[in-house]
Structure formats: C-alpha cells, structure tokens
Amino acid sequence: MADTAATTANTAHETGAGVPKRDFMKLLAGAGAAVGLGAIAWPLIDSMNPAQDVLAMSSTEVDLKPIVAGQAITVLWRGKPIFVRHRTAAEIKEAADVNVSELRDPQTDAARVQKGHDTWLVVVGICTHLGCVPLGNKPTDPRGEYGGWYCPCHGSQYDTSGRIRKGPAPLNLAVPDYAFENDTKIKIG
Amino acid sequence: MVGLHKSEFANPVVNWIDQRLPLFSMMKNEYSSFPTPKNFNYFWNFGALAMINLMIMVATGVFLAMHYTPNTAMAFDSVERIMRDVNYGWLLRYVHMNGASMFFIVVYIHIFRGLYYGSYKNPRELLWMLGVVILLLMMATAFMGYVLPWGQMSYWGATVITNLFSAFPVVGESIVTWLWGGFSVDNATLNRFFSLHYLLPFVIIAVVFLHVIALHITGSNNPLGIEPKGPQDTIPFHPYYTIKDSVGMCVYLTVFAILVFFAPNFLGHPDNYIPANPLATPADVVPEWYFLPYYAILRSVPNKLIGVLMLFGSIGVMFILPWLDTSPVRSARFRPIYRQLIWVFVIDCLVLGYVGAKPPQGSILLIGRVATAYYFLHYLVILPLLGKLERPLPLPESISQPVTRGGGPLPAGAAATPMEKV
C-alpha cells in the first residue's frame, strides 16, 4: 500500500501534473509553523513596547501664569524637554515677517502656534540634528542670530518660531500635540 | 589532520560554509539521519520536551528581566507592574512561572523513563550523571527564581533553604553569612540571586550540550534495553522521531496552556502575593511542589545536620546509581521483581511529596520517616541485592525480532524494510 502511494507520487512528480501532495503538505506544515512562531514571538516583542503605566503618564499639564513675556521654561513630557515660550510682540512680528520660501523647512509662524494664542510657542526642545537640547531658555543662554535657540552641539540656530535657520539641523523644532484647557493652562499630549 | 571537511551538500553556499565549519553536516548526522532504535515509545519524547521547555524559560525569562527590578523595595511592585501594565506581561510571567512546574514534570518523567528502562547502565553512566547535574542546576535555578518576586514565600523559602548550610559544624554560620551577603536575607541576597538566576540557565544549556554529545556517542537506549544489532533495528531520527516528538509536544503544550490560561496559580502558593515581611513568618512555609519530597526527607530527621545530609544525599545517591544497580539487564520489562518495585518507589516519592506539603506532626511525621527510610533502602539495599537475586526473563535476540516473529500474521507492508525506502 505504501509502495503504491509512493509510485503515484513519483508519477505525478515526473509528469509535472500539479504539485505533488507531499510538497504541498510540507508547504502547509512550514506555513503553519511560521504563523505559530509569529504568534509566539509577538507577545515577547510587544512586551518591549511602552507599558500601560508609561502610556498613562504620557500627558503633562503646564500652568502658564508664572511665565512672563520674553521668558521660556522647560517642562518634562514623556522624558523629553518641552520648551514653553511666552513671546513678546516684537518676537512674534519677527517670526511672522519671515519669507517662508527662504526657509529650509518652510512653515508659517501661524502654523506653529494655536489660533488666538500666538504669544505662546510650545516646541519639543530637541535639536533635529542629533538630539541635543538647544540653549536659549535661560536669560544668560545664547539665542543665536535669530533670537530663538542655539544648539551647543553643532551650532544649529532656530528663530523665535523654533524654525531652523542656520546650521546642520534639517527640520524645525517639532510642535507636540497640546491643547489650551483655559487661557492659563495647557495640556501636552 | 588539517584540511577542508568533505561536504555532501549540493547548495554551493551551504557547501562552502560546511567545508569550513561543518555545522550543516553535524546537524544532518546528529539530528536528521541519526540512526535511532525503531521501537521508542512515548516516554522517549521527554528529552526533546525538556529541551523545548528550557528554550521557553530562557525566552520568557530574558523578556521578564527587561521589566524586573532586583531591589527589595521594588521587586514585588515590579512583578505586579509586569502583571498589570507591561504588554503581555501577565502571559510572560504565567508562562515562566508554570514553565518551571512543567519543566520539573517533564524532567521527572524523563528520569522515571531512565529508571524504568535502565538507561543509566553501562555504557550510559556519564550520560546519566550529566543528567543529575542538570537536575541539580535546575533546582538551584528554580529556587532562586522563586525568591525574585519577593513575596512571603520567596523570603521565607530563601531563609529556610540558605539556613540549611548553617547545619554544617564550625563553618556553617560563616557560609550562610557569605550566601546572604549580610546577616539576613536582604537586598544583597536578592541581587545575587537575580544574577545567578540569569546565569545558571546558560550553564544548564552547556551541560545539556554535553548530555546530548554523550547521548550521541552511546546512542539512545530503548524500551527493550538491548543495543541495535544493525541498520534493520534503527530508523533515521528525521522524520520518524521528529514527528513522534511533535505529537508529544502538542499534548505537552496543551497541558501547559491549560495551566497558564485556566489555572495559572494552581501550583503556586497564595502567600507569595503578600509582600515579603522579615518580621512575620507565614503559618506554614512550604516549597514549590517539585521540592516537596526532598523537604519531607529533611523534616523527617530529628537531627539538623543529618537531615541536611540526607536531603543532599537523596540527589547524591542518584550519581552512584549506575553502580548500585548490579543487574546487567536494563529494561524493567525483563526484570519481573524490579518491574514492581520501581512502582513502589514511585509511590514512595509521591508519599514523600504529600508528606512534604503537610505540617510534620503525628502520623504524617511517622509516614514521612517510613517513606524516607524506604527511599534510601531502594537505592542502597534493594537495587544492589536485586541484581544478584532476581531471575530476569529471556531477552529478545534483537529489536526487530519481537515484531517480525510476533503472534499474528504479518501486516501488509511490514515485510518491506524501512531503511530501503529512505
């Protein structure tokens, strides 16, 4: 009986009439094993993603009241520094008057602040070049030629809208998701 | 002899590598075409199952270690965080936790297989002894792993077991202080247990490697306990035993899954969900189920030092088993008296396990003492004498013989020799 089955399989193989049953079974078993291994691997891989408690702490509230015009503070959100800057009228005008087409990463100032709250600039304080924290929040810090931020690592310079103007960084400082809960309080994340 | 290995592989890339590093030839010779006795029963699944279990433990353990904090102030909470917050953390921990129990179930059956079919006898003595080393390493690893969650049972288990060493005269106290890294089980102890718990599985892998090398030198034993006489008595490992192992693996994984998904804490002790408290010992401290027989032996002896020595001796006696059993016949199938006494021994171990779980009072204490005495009686008196007194049944001439000269007519196709078709 076993011999007969083997002969049939061989004939099918030689004449090329369809895929031999054994090859099909091997493919099926292999595919089943691959799916099974994937299903086993996924919980292991996913366990390395942010845990529920990390995600639960992923938003930060900032009270804007103590920040006077011209001053900026740094808050921590998801382990990253966030710059919250209270801009002066001159700084806003300077940022708005720039010819957008000249910028490396063209973006209007209005697109980087929230409507009606253009005195407040909120950006992720991480240089888009290689991840250093730019200077410019403390009064004694250098702010670069454009009055925004200056990265001490490789000399990238950002303007009062946090846009890249000079130096090796390719992109503007990122604007995180945030919302005004009221006029003096924002929630980041 | 210097020179390239002669590779038989057709694929040029495989061939090129194989000539320089004959891994593919090794895998083929040791796992694919490896000649294996053709009469294995399902007891021969358990070596492969133990290997799978070891891999599951290492994989889940590595990922658990990414979230665990080995500090007395944070260990318990970090385990609870794994259970509640880490993605699939509950699964990783329950698989790891029940995996330890599954590992011991598999290994105990594997050991029983060895005892029943005489797999420890000449020429497989060293193979057996390496297995006992693996068992000892497993016990150390499991014990230290159980301490890591820093629950009440973790803490008091660690205290009791490390205190065993205080039984040794003169140096005992110094050894215990050295083990603790302080004057009680504390942060230093937890830290080193975590370090060693991560290290020992890799030592186990190394010894398993030696175990497998030794196995492939002597070849596997089989249910008849006689050596294959030639190619007619063996079949290639693949596909015949890879398939048979896969069937066993499905059953094993089913049992494992039932434990993990439906009764994850069935084999654990609820007190280990109470954070460790150095000032309050739980009402009864019991080890995990797989240590209960040894624990029963320890408690059966009124003298502290002798109790500890007998505890270690209960494993130590397994090292010299190949020389204690004087019978030249391996398989219990042909040893009418041993065949019954091996079951008495199994029952004795189960009784010890039962006694280990109960408070050592009254009749339980008496039963424990009788069972402990019988445990050592079996190894040290019965086995050496039985080999001389027992009259074994006649052994078959070969592995094939009982099949081909069996009672009924030959089944269709049985006349074809399997080797010719491969």
Side-chain angles (χ1 to χ4, degrees), chain B residues 382-400:
Chain B
I382 293 178
L383 286 184
L385 285 181
L386 197 60
K388 309 234 185 291
L389 301 177
E390 187 180 41
R391 188 186 178 88
L393 303 176
L395 293 174
E397 283 166 33
S398 74
I399 291 174
S400 299

mmCIF file of all heavy atoms in Angstrom, chain B residues 382-400:
data_model
loop_
_atom_site.group_PDB
_atom_site.id
_atom_site.type_symbol
_atom_site.label_atom_id
_atom_site.label_comp_id
_atom_site.label_asym_id
_atom_site.label_seq_id
_atom_site.Cartn_x
_atom_site.Cartn_y
_atom_site.Cartn_z
ATOM 1 N N ILE B 382 18.006 -2.473 48.154
ATOM 2 C CA ILE B 382 17.212 -3.283 47.221
ATOM 3 C C ILE B 382 17.915 -3.433 45.871
ATOM 4 O O ILE B 382 18.074 -4.542 45.364
ATOM 5 C CB ILE B 382 15.800 -2.664 47.048
ATOM 6 C CG1 ILE B 382 15.035 -2.777 48.366
ATOM 7 C CG2 ILE B 382 15.051 -3.367 45.918
ATOM 8 C CD1 ILE B 382 13.662 -2.169 48.340
ATOM 9 N N LEU B 383 18.360 -2.306 45.298
ATOM 10 C CA LEU B 383 18.954 -2.382 43.959
ATOM 11 C C LEU B 383 20.220 -3.252 43.923
ATOM 12 O O LEU B 383 20.340 -4.097 43.032
ATOM 13 C CB LEU B 383 19.234 -0.979 43.410
ATOM 14 C CG LEU B 383 17.994 -0.193 42.964
ATOM 15 C CD1 LEU B 383 18.382 1.139 42.361
ATOM 16 C CD2 LEU B 383 17.160 -0.983 41.973
ATOM 17 N N PRO B 384 21.175 -3.084 44.863
ATOM 18 C CA PRO B 384 22.357 -3.955 44.805
ATOM 19 C C PRO B 384 22.015 -5.439 44.984
ATOM 20 O O PRO B 384 22.566 -6.289 44.299
ATOM 21 C CB PRO B 384 23.227 -3.458 45.970
ATOM 22 C CG PRO B 384 22.759 -2.068 46.236
ATOM 23 C CD PRO B 384 21.310 -2.059 45.903
ATOM 24 N N LEU B 385 21.064 -5.754 45.879
ATOM 25 C CA LEU B 385 20.734 -7.160 46.124
ATOM 26 C C LEU B 385 19.910 -7.756 44.982
ATOM 27 O O LEU B 385 20.131 -8.888 44.562
ATOM 28 C CB LEU B 385 19.950 -7.282 47.440
ATOM 29 C CG LEU B 385 20.773 -7.125 48.719
ATOM 30 C CD1 LEU B 385 19.873 -7.298 49.935
ATOM 31 C CD2 LEU B 385 21.908 -8.149 48.755
ATOM 32 N N LEU B 386 18.963 -6.949 44.489
ATOM 33 C CA LEU B 386 18.027 -7.450 43.481
ATOM 34 C C LEU B 386 18.769 -7.941 42.239
ATOM 35 O O LEU B 386 18.401 -8.971 41.646
ATOM 36 C CB LEU B 386 17.046 -6.334 43.106
ATOM 37 C CG LEU B 386 15.777 -6.773 42.379
ATOM 38 C CD1 LEU B 386 14.985 -7.733 43.256
ATOM 39 C CD2 LEU B 386 14.942 -5.564 42.020
ATOM 40 N N GLY B 387 19.823 -7.215 41.855
ATOM 41 C CA GLY B 387 20.599 -7.612 40.681
ATOM 42 C C GLY B 387 21.159 -9.021 40.822
ATOM 43 O O GLY B 387 21.306 -9.749 39.845
ATOM 44 N N LYS B 388 21.437 -9.416 42.066
ATOM 45 C CA LYS B 388 22.013 -10.738 42.292
ATOM 46 C C LYS B 388 20.923 -11.806 42.445
ATOM 47 O O LYS B 388 21.104 -12.958 42.033
ATOM 48 C CB LYS B 388 22.870 -10.717 43.571
ATOM 49 C CG LYS B 388 23.891 -9.583 43.611
ATOM 50 C CD LYS B 388 25.296 -10.107 43.855
ATOM 51 C CE LYS B 388 26.306 -8.999 44.017
ATOM 52 N NZ LYS B 388 26.570 -8.248 42.792
ATOM 53 N N LEU B 389 19.784 -11.407 43.037
ATOM 54 C CA LEU B 389 18.765 -12.400 43.379
ATOM 55 C C LEU B 389 17.745 -12.621 42.265
ATOM 56 O O LEU B 389 17.228 -13.724 42.095
ATOM 57 C CB LEU B 389 18.020 -11.962 44.652
ATOM 58 C CG LEU B 389 18.896 -11.771 45.894
ATOM 59 C CD1 LEU B 389 18.057 -11.259 47.053
ATOM 60 C CD2 LEU B 389 19.565 -13.102 46.272
ATOM 61 N N GLU B 390 17.438 -11.568 41.519
ATOM 62 C CA GLU B 390 16.349 -11.637 40.544
ATOM 63 C C GLU B 390 16.739 -12.515 39.354
ATOM 64 O O GLU B 390 17.877 -12.526 38.913
ATOM 65 C CB GLU B 390 16.038 -10.221 40.059
ATOM 66 C CG GLU B 390 14.825 -10.101 39.182
ATOM 67 C CD GLU B 390 14.619 -8.656 38.769
ATOM 68 O OE1 GLU B 390 15.621 -7.979 38.456
ATOM 69 O OE2 GLU B 390 13.480 -8.203 38.765
ATOM 70 N N ARG B 391 15.749 -13.259 38.837
ATOM 71 C CA ARG B 391 15.999 -14.067 37.649
ATOM 72 C C ARG B 391 15.303 -13.381 36.476
ATOM 73 O O ARG B 391 14.070 -13.442 36.333
ATOM 74 C CB ARG B 391 15.426 -15.464 37.874
ATOM 75 C CG ARG B 391 15.778 -16.439 36.794
ATOM 76 C CD ARG B 391 15.042 -17.762 37.044
ATOM 77 N NE ARG B 391 15.346 -18.695 35.969
ATOM 78 C CZ ARG B 391 16.397 -19.509 36.000
ATOM 79 N NH1 ARG B 391 17.206 -19.497 37.017
ATOM 80 N NH2 ARG B 391 16.609 -20.339 34.991
ATOM 81 N N PRO B 392 16.070 -12.703 35.603
ATOM 82 C CA PRO B 392 15.422 -11.950 34.533
ATOM 83 C C PRO B 392 14.820 -12.860 33.469
ATOM 84 O O PRO B 392 15.259 -14.008 33.301
ATOM 85 C CB PRO B 392 16.557 -11.101 33.952
ATOM 86 C CG PRO B 392 17.822 -11.754 34.383
ATOM 87 C CD PRO B 392 17.536 -12.571 35.593
ATOM 88 N N LEU B 393 13.804 -12.341 32.751
ATOM 89 C CA LEU B 393 13.202 -13.079 31.636
ATOM 90 C C LEU B 393 14.191 -13.099 30.475
ATOM 91 O O LEU B 393 15.094 -12.255 30.407
ATOM 92 C CB LEU B 393 11.904 -12.380 31.205
ATOM 93 C CG LEU B 393 10.843 -12.199 32.291
ATOM 94 C CD1 LEU B 393 9.679 -11.412 31.740
ATOM 95 C CD2 LEU B 393 10.387 -13.552 32.821
ATOM 96 N N PRO B 394 14.050 -14.066 29.550
ATOM 97 C CA PRO B 394 14.978 -14.098 28.413
ATOM 98 C C PRO B 394 14.837 -12.852 27.543
ATOM 99 O O PRO B 394 13.716 -12.392 27.269
ATOM 100 C CB PRO B 394 14.562 -15.364 27.652
ATOM 101 C CG PRO B 394 13.201 -15.689 28.139
ATOM 102 C CD PRO B 394 13.094 -15.167 29.538
ATOM 103 N N LEU B 395 15.964 -12.289 27.142
ATOM 104 C CA LEU B 395 15.940 -11.098 26.296
ATOM 105 C C LEU B 395 15.721 -11.507 24.845
ATOM 106 O O LEU B 395 16.177 -12.568 24.436
ATOM 107 C CB LEU B 395 17.284 -10.354 26.400
ATOM 108 C CG LEU B 395 17.620 -9.727 27.747
ATOM 109 C CD1 LEU B 395 19.034 -9.169 27.725
ATOM 110 C CD2 LEU B 395 16.630 -8.641 28.093
ATOM 111 N N PRO B 396 15.017 -10.679 24.061
ATOM 112 C CA PRO B 396 14.884 -10.976 22.631
ATOM 113 C C PRO B 396 16.253 -10.881 21.945
ATOM 114 O O PRO B 396 17.143 -10.190 22.429
ATOM 115 C CB PRO B 396 13.923 -9.908 22.126
ATOM 116 C CG PRO B 396 13.958 -8.829 23.144
ATOM 117 C CD PRO B 396 14.343 -9.450 24.439
ATOM 118 N N GLU B 397 16.388 -11.568 20.821
ATOM 119 C CA GLU B 397 17.669 -11.558 20.124
ATOM 120 C C GLU B 397 18.004 -10.188 19.560
ATOM 121 O O GLU B 397 19.160 -9.788 19.496
ATOM 122 C CB GLU B 397 17.642 -12.574 18.975
ATOM 123 C CG GLU B 397 17.813 -14.011 19.441
ATOM 124 C CD GLU B 397 17.437 -14.989 18.340
ATOM 125 O OE1 GLU B 397 17.654 -14.650 17.167
ATOM 126 O OE2 GLU B 397 16.924 -16.069 18.677
ATOM 127 N N SER B 398 16.970 -9.497 19.102
ATOM 128 C CA SER B 398 17.211 -8.165 18.537
ATOM 129 C C SER B 398 15.956 -7.331 18.701
ATOM 130 O O SER B 398 14.911 -7.842 19.103
ATOM 131 C CB SER B 398 17.584 -8.270 17.052
ATOM 132 O OG SER B 398 16.419 -8.577 16.312
ATOM 133 N N ILE B 399 16.071 -6.047 18.359
ATOM 134 C CA ILE B 399 14.913 -5.157 18.462
ATOM 135 C C ILE B 399 13.845 -5.578 17.468
ATOM 136 O O ILE B 399 12.647 -5.512 17.753
ATOM 137 C CB ILE B 399 15.364 -3.694 18.227
ATOM 138 C CG1 ILE B 399 16.217 -3.228 19.404
ATOM 139 C CG2 ILE B 399 14.165 -2.785 18.060
ATOM 140 C CD1 ILE B 399 16.830 -1.859 19.225
ATOM 141 N N SER B 400 14.270 -6.044 16.280
ATOM 142 C CA SER B 400 13.303 -6.424 15.250
ATOM 143 C C SER B 400 12.595 -7.722 15.584
ATOM 144 O O SER B 400 11.436 -7.913 15.234
ATOM 145 C CB SER B 400 14.002 -6.587 13.897
ATOM 146 O OG SER B 400 14.575 -5.380 13.512
#
